Structures are given as C-alpha cells and as structure tokens.
Amino acid sequence: MALYNDKEACNKVSSWAKVLHGVPQGSVLGPLLFLICINDFPKIVNDETLLVLFADDSSVLVAHSNFIDFKALNKWFKVNLLSLNFNKMHFTHFTTMRNKMIDLNVGYKDKLISHISHTNFFDIILDSTLTWSNNFELLTTKLTTACYLIRTVKPYMPESALKNDLPLPFFPLS
C-alpha cells in the first residue's frame, strides 16, 4: 500500500535492456504484436488451404498434403525473421471410419512433421475419424471435478444460496 502513496516510488523506472527474443509470456501486447507481425501470412497460402489465426496460435487446414508449400512458408518466415519450429508442428490425417488410414509422411527437406491421432483445436478434441469420444472423456473429467467442488463447498453455503434465491456470497474456506 505504501508503494502507491509514495511519489518517489511512482517516478522510478527500470533501465533499458535489449529484447533478444519475442515478448514476455502473458503480456497484454503479445497477441497484438504477433498478429501485426503475421498479418500478411494468409497471402502466401493457396486457395485450397484455410489458415486459422487466433491470438498467438495458428493452424493450417489443407485438403491434401501436396497443397502445403513449405518452401514458400519457410521463405516467408525467414523474410520476417521468424522460423518454422518443426518440433512443435504436427498433423492429423482425417478419414472416415470405413476407410483405411493411409501412411503419410509430411515434411520439408529432412524434417518430418509428427503424425498424431487427435489434436486440440480451440478446446475441441478432433480425432482422425472425427468421433466425439475424446471430448466426452474430457467433459466427464471436468464435470467430475466441478461436482466434487460443489459437494465440498455445500456444507458451508447458506440454504438460500443453494436454492439460488440470493446471489452467491463469498466465504473463504481457510
């Protein structure tokens, strides 16, 4: 509290330092600066490719592996002083349950992109056959946790709050 009332403390600033890589994780400007940096990225993908950008995350959706021009992607990244991180890249081959999975190798030069059976796409788990089983498992886990918390807090709540007659009061559990 004394820091906010101390005028001398309010006038202090940190010393300048050279930023070597990126912006701090969780910063307010991080996602905005990322989007400004990659605003021309959608121009390098072809019409058969859908680029999904959200905050500091990007996904490329393609109908076939031949539609990914890794040479153009790599060139764009180098021009913009960025690099493709093949260790963080992965792909999921979607097919119907009736069709057999084709063994695909996707990569650029000597770097292969890892194949995974399911991926998390904006908190929806998509598996290779587009079933919902992984989503149900995740939802069940989250609901189990929520039910446990409700059962734990219930003895400390007034009856009116449990019946939803009044706004939920805050009771510290310590």
Side-chain angles (χ1 to χ4, degrees):
M1 198 68 145
L3 286 177
Y4 295 110
N5 295 330
D6 186 4
K7 290 192 182 229
E8 185 179 324
C10 292
N11 293 328
K12 293 187 178 184
V13 295
S14 60
S15 61
W16 287 95
K18 185 176 182 179
V19 176
L20 299 176
H21 300 287
V23 295
Q25 184 72 25
S27 69
V28 175
L29 286 176
L32 176 64
L33 293 174
F34 175 76
L35 290 174
I36 291 170
C37 181
I38 65 164
N39 70 346
D40 64 334
F41 187 52
K43 293 177 183 174
I44 66 165
V45 296
N46 59 33
D47 294 337
E48 306 296 328
T49 305
L50 175 64
L51 186 63
V52 181
L53 302 173
F54 181 76
D56 62 348
D57 195 11
S58 57
S59 296
V60 180
L61 308 174
V62 294
H64 192 279
S65 62
N66 291 340
F67 292 124
I68 303 173
D69 186 359
F70 282 109
K71 190 173 182 179
L73 282 174
N74 208 27
K75 181 181 177 185
W76 181 89
F77 274 80
K78 283 185 180 182
V79 166
N80 288 282
L81 302 174
L82 300 169
S83 62
L84 282 171
N85 188 343
F86 282 89
N87 295 328
K88 286 188 172 183
M89 294 174 73
H90 61 265
F91 78 95
T92 303
H93 178 216
F94 297 105
T95 185
T96 61
M97 291 183 5
R98 291 182 185 166
N99 291 346
K100 290 185 178 181
M101 191 65 75
I102 300 170
D103 189 25
L104 287 176
N105 289 321
V106 178
Y108 177 65
K109 292 188 177 180
D110 61 342
K111 299 172 184 166
L112 286 177
I113 298 174
S114 63
H115 177 261
I116 57 173
S117 62
H118 60 278
T119 187
N120 189 330
F121 188 70
F122 299 112
D123 283 340
I124 298 173
I125 300 172
L126 300 173
D127 66 5
S128 59
T129 57
L130 297 176
T131 61
W132 292 98
S133 58
N134 290 321
N135 287 293
F136 292 139
E137 288 175 26
L138 180 63
L139 184 59
T140 302
T141 302
K142 287 182 178 182
L143 288 173
T144 302
T145 303
C147 288
Y148 171 76
L149 290 173
I150 290 169
R151 279 195 313 270
T152 303
V153 173
K154 183 180 174 183
Y156 303 101
M157 301 297 296
E159 188 176 333
S160 59
L162 293 172
K163 290 182 180 178
N164 204 15
D165 290 341
L166 297 172
L168 191 64
F170 173 73
F171 292 108
L173 297 176
S174 56

